[in-house]
């Protein structure tokens, strides 16, 4: 290896090590989330909803923000995980952590099986393929009423205390702590994935799959892996919903689930992980606030916000990310400035 190659490799390792370091704003974000347990005791249910939606947004961001796979059927994995957790608790083990792992495994296997459908074709083809898979799964759930409860939903789901120690309460405090813990752990794992050489290869595939192939990167194999991981994350998010509510209905497979999580990423920013988390907070708070002010027209205002974002430009809306020290957005801006100075 030449001196130039060694220098480039050292620089790459230094950049990866720097990206893996925890930033002050990240620690502050999680401290605020934990502090909400004590500061907002009457809002545990909506906080749990935010944590579940944030995990679903992180799962979609793994394929959309890093691999460039546009999906209109991400709710398929969410709903499958929700039903898997409910059926597992009803017919096998009621302990939630075991059911969470089972739901993630089921959704991951389904993601692995369906990932080969998105390997070929353009973004439009992928949109229609993922949408079709979600619709087929929704119809399957509706037709197998003997197992899933059909349109009435799956009732009679009993959830035992977490690890046999922490029982779910009526105020949702245990549910929020449980959902937040899962979100923190899985976000940490996702953070390690995207800040690894594998994560960099995904970004290369997103920018130019043909050029990545010429560099020795296998796009198909990496897309299958990240698609399966995202399915596991989405399935666990669905399992959290079932376990914290003790109920699951076909609504978990509805199209609006996929549309909502896409809107969450638009609000928070694609390709930053934390953008999905912030977007989940903004979307949920806006939805609840608007539904109180205008119960019949809150969806109109959400749509209006989306139109404004499209007209203004997502890059301008998500420019806040560049203000975070050590963030991917700030590093990218610095890299562009350095490139301009060299030219």
């Amino acid at each position: 290896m030449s001196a130039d190659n060694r220098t480039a490799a050292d620089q790459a390792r230094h950049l990866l090590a720097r990206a893996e370091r925890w930033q002050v704003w990240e620690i502050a974000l999680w401290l605020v989330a934990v502090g909400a347990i004590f500061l907002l005791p009457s809002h545990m249910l909506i906080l749990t909803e935010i944590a579940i939606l944030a995990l679903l947004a992180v799962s979609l961001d793994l394929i959309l923000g890093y691999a460039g796979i546009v999906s209109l059927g991400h709710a398929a994995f969410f709903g499958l995980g929700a039903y898997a957790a409910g059926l597992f608790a009803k017919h096998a083990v009621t302990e939630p952590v075991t059911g969470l792992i089972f739901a993630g495994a089921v959704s991951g296997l389904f993601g692995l099986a369906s990932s080969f459908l998105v390997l070929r074709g353009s973004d439009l083809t992928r949109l229609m393929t993922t949408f079709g898979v979600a619709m087929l799964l929704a119809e399957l759930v509706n037709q197998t009423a003997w197992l899933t409860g059909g349109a009435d939903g799956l009732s009679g789901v009993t959830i035992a205390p977490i690890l046999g120690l922490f029982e779910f309460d009526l105020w949702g405090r245990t549910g929020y702590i449980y959902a937040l813990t899962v979100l923190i752990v899985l976000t940490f794992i996702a953070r390690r994935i995207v800040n690894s050489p594998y994560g960099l290869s995904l970004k290369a595939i997103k920018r130019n799959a043909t050029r990545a192939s010429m560099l020795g990167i296998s796009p198909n194999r990496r897309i299958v892996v990240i698609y399966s991981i995202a399915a596991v994350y989405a399935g666990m998010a669905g399992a959290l919903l079932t376990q914290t509510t003790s109920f699951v209905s076909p609504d978990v497979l509805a199209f609006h689930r996929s549309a909502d999580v896409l809107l969450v990423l638009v609000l928070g920013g694609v390709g930053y992980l934390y953008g999905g988390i912030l977007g989940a907070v903004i979307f949920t708070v806006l939805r609840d606030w608007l539904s109180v002010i205008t119960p019949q027209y809150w969806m109109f205002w959400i749509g209006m916000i989306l139109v404004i974002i499209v007209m203004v430009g997502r890059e301008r809306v998500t420019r806040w990310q560049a203000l975070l020290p050590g963030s991917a957005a700030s590093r990218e801006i610095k890299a562009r400035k350095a490139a301009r100075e060299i030219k």
Side-chain angles (χ1 to χ4, degrees):
M1 182 181 295
S2 65
D4 292 340
N5 289 337
R6 282 196 298 269
T7 302
D10 291 338
Q11 289 177 349
R13 282 192 292 267
H14 174 71
L15 290 174
L16 284 176
R18 184 178 177 182
E20 290 178 357
R21 295 174 189 166
W22 283 87
Q23 304 298 324
V24 175
W25 63 267
E26 292 182 83
I27 299 174
L29 174 66
W30 295 120
L31 287 177
V32 169
V34 173
I37 300 171
F38 309 99
L39 299 176
L40 301 171
S42 61
H43 296 78
M44 292 292 102
L45 296 179
I46 190 173
L47 289 173
T48 304
E49 185 180 350
I50 290 173
I52 294 172
L53 181 58
L55 180 57
L56 181 60
V58 169
S59 71
L60 180 60
D61 200 21
L62 286 175
I63 58 174
L64 176 59
Y66 291 90
I69 301 173
V70 185
S71 173
L72 268 182
H74 207 60
F77 308 121
F78 179 80
L80 182 61
Y83 272 100
L87 291 171
F88 189 75
K90 188 174 182 179
H91 301 291
V93 181
T94 58
E95 200 282 314
V97 175
T98 307
L100 182 74
I101 297 172
F102 175 77
V106 171
S107 295
L109 289 174
F110 184 70
L112 177 63
S114 60
S115 63
F116 300 97
L117 299 175
V118 301
L119 291 178
R120 297 181 180 180
S122 61
D123 289 341
L124 180 59
T125 304
R126 289 172 174 175
L127 278 174
M128 292 299 98
T129 300
T130 53
F131 178 72
V133 169
M135 292 300 99
L136 286 173
L137 191 59
E139 186 60 25
L140 178 64
V141 167
N142 190 45
Q143 293 298 324
T144 55
W146 59 271
L147 179 65
T148 64
D152 296 328
L154 183 65
S155 58
V157 178
T158 302
I159 305 298
I162 302 171
L163 300 175
L165 301 174
F166 309 101
E167 188 173 356
F168 289 94
D169 56 276
L170 295 176
W171 301 273
R173 189 172 187 270
T174 303
Y176 173 62
I177 296 174
Y178 175 48
L180 180 61
T181 302
V182 175
L183 174 63
I184 292 174
V185 171
L186 293 183
T187 302
F188 174 76
I189 296 173
R191 192 179 181 277
R192 294 295 300 270
I193 292 173
V194 300
N195 291 322
S196 66
Y198 171 73
L200 292 180
S201 68
L202 288 176
K203 293 180 181 179
I205 294 170
K206 178 185 176 182
R207 292 184 178 181
N208 194 317
T210 303
R211 185 176 297 176
S213 300
M214 295 174 64
L215 294 174
I217 299 174
S218 175
N220 289 352
R221 184 181 304 173
R222 284 167 171 77
I223 288 176
V224 167
V225 171
I226 197 62
Y227 198 81
S228 302
I229 293 174
V232 172
Y233 274 49
M236 287 187 171
L240 287 175
L241 180 64
T242 298
Q243 292 171 348
T244 54
T245 60
S246 297
F247 180 75
V248 57
S249 70
D251 180 70
V252 295
L253 289 162
F255 170 73
H256 74 82
R257 293 278 181 181
S258 299
D260 286 350
V261 73
L262 273 174
L263 180 55
V264 164
L265 286 182
V266 170
L267 291 173
V270 180
Y272 301 102
L273 288 184
Y274 288 99
I277 296 174
L278 181 63
V281 176
I282 296 173
F283 176 79
T284 307
V285 172
L286 268 178
R287 185 190 60 192
D288 281 31
W289 178 59
L290 292 173
S291 62
V292 171
I293 297 177
T294 56
Q296 296 179 340
Y297 305 106
W298 68 269
M299 292 186 67
F300 167 80
W301 296 111
I302 293 290
M304 180 65 72
I305 293 172
L306 179 59
V307 171
I308 292 173
I309 291 174
V310 172
M311 293 180 65
V312 173
R314 187 185 61 82
E315 292 77 10
R316 295 181 180 180
V317 176
T318 58
R319 194 172 289 175
W320 61 269
Q321 296 159 345
L323 302 176
L324 300 176
S327 65
S330 64
R331 291 195 301 269
E332 186 173 349
I333 290 176
K334 290 179 180 179
R336 289 179 181 176
K337 289 181 178 179
R340 292 195 203 102
E341 292 176 358
I342 292 174
K343 291 180 179 180

